[in-house]
Amino acid sequence: MMKTITLHNKTFKVFISETEISAIVHSMANQINNSGVKNPLFIAVLNGSFLFAADIIRKINIPNCEISFIKLSSYLGTESTGEVNELIGLGKDIKNRNIIILEDIIDTGITLEKIMSLVQKEEVADIKVATLLFKPKAYKKEIKIDFIGKSIANDFVVGYGLDYDEIGRNLPNIYKLKE
Ligand code: IMP
Ligand code: MG
């Protein structure tokens, strides 16, 4: 395993190994499987959660579970309303569904809050949130996070789907910025 790597002239060191990631994902899947949720529709948030989603879904054994993918678009509106967001890819009726959002990482919670408000508008039955990584010291929202893989300090991390300016997503381990 590469202990340190360089991306865009910054050095990163191994933080969570592939083996540990696998154990975390397995444990999260067990928690979801035992949570009693019926016919869940998992919604994975692209791009960051593509590997996490692919790995956890293969360990979910709830009958009739489904998975879909969304991307959040943000752009500046022409009106003074400022930022407008929409979900790209939510091309189906999710009314009355039990939703489980799959996120790679929750930092301040701003992204999660936007996703929650957009999904809530669709009159779903229930929304739960599963995130591989969580930065409790950075989190500024009240939204309950139902399944947390690992809580970490306010370090910048890359790998296993997470990027640094779009690179590093392919790395099987998670690395953190070296001080
Ligand atoms: P939030 O809206 O502040 O919670 O930030 C969430 C988004 O910021 C994530 O979906 C990631 O795309 C990105 N992000 C936050 N922390 C990191 C990190 O340590 N490494 C890579 N991306 C991060
Ligand atoms: Mg993300």
Side-chain angles (χ1 to χ4, degrees):
M1 184 210 299
M2 296 273 284
K3 290 275 182 205
T4 68
I5 50 147
T6 301
L7 302 171
H8 292 311
N9 294 328
K10 283 205 189 331
T11 309
F12 294 82
K13 62 182 178 197
V14 174
F15 175 45
I16 312 172
S17 71
E18 192 174 2
T19 313
E20 191 187 341
I21 295 167
S22 171
I24 292 168
V25 171
H26 206 135
S27 149
M28 291 182 80
N30 286 342
Q31 289 172 50
I32 295 170
N33 286 335
N34 295 325
S35 70
V37 61
K38 299 270 187 292
N39 308 333
L41 170 60
F42 289 89
I43 298 183
V45 184
L46 296 173
N47 293 329
S49 66
F50 78 109
L51 290 179
F52 171 50
D55 285 345
I56 197 163
I57 200 70
R58 281 178 282 181
K59 297 190 163 56
I60 297 296
N61 56 25
I62 305 167
N64 307 316
C65 71
E66 296 177 32
I67 186 164
S68 190
F69 299 84
I70 55 163
K71 211 166 171 169
L72 200 65
S73 87
S74 54
Y75 54 92
L76 288 178
T78 50
E79 305 293 314
S80 56
T81 47
E83 218 180 328
V84 182
N85 289 277
E86 63 177 326
L87 296 178
I88 304 173
L90 198 61
K92 63 188 283 179
D93 188 6
I94 61 169
K95 196 174 172 182
N96 299 324
R97 296 301 306 266
N98 294 318
I99 307 296
I100 302 180
I101 293 169
L102 296 178
E103 263 286 26
D104 50 346
I105 189 163
I106 296 172
D107 189 313
T108 62
I110 291 168
T111 308
L112 176 66
E113 188 178 65
K114 283 173 182 165
I115 291 164
M116 291 291 283
S117 70
L118 291 164
V119 171
Q120 267 155 4
K121 280 200 300 202
E122 306 294 320
E123 299 171 68
V124 297
D126 183 53
I127 311 178
K128 287 195 163 46
V129 180
T131 188
L132 179 68
L133 300 177
F134 177 51
K135 295 183 184 173
K137 290 201 174 73
Y139 194 57
K140 293 188 175 63
K141 305 295 176 185
E142 301 296 323
I143 301 160
K144 183 184 173 223
I145 305 172
D146 303 272
F147 307 100
I148 295 171
K150 189 179 173 88
S151 291
I152 64 170
N154 282 351
D155 295 309
F156 188 78
V157 294
V158 292
Y160 193 67
L162 292 150
D163 70 301
Y164 170 43
D165 274 350
E166 294 305 326
I167 62 172
R169 294 193 196 275
N170 57 311
L171 300 165
N173 307 291
I174 292 172
Y175 293 78
K176 74 174 178 184
L177 198 57
K178 207 172 166 186
E179 307 82 49

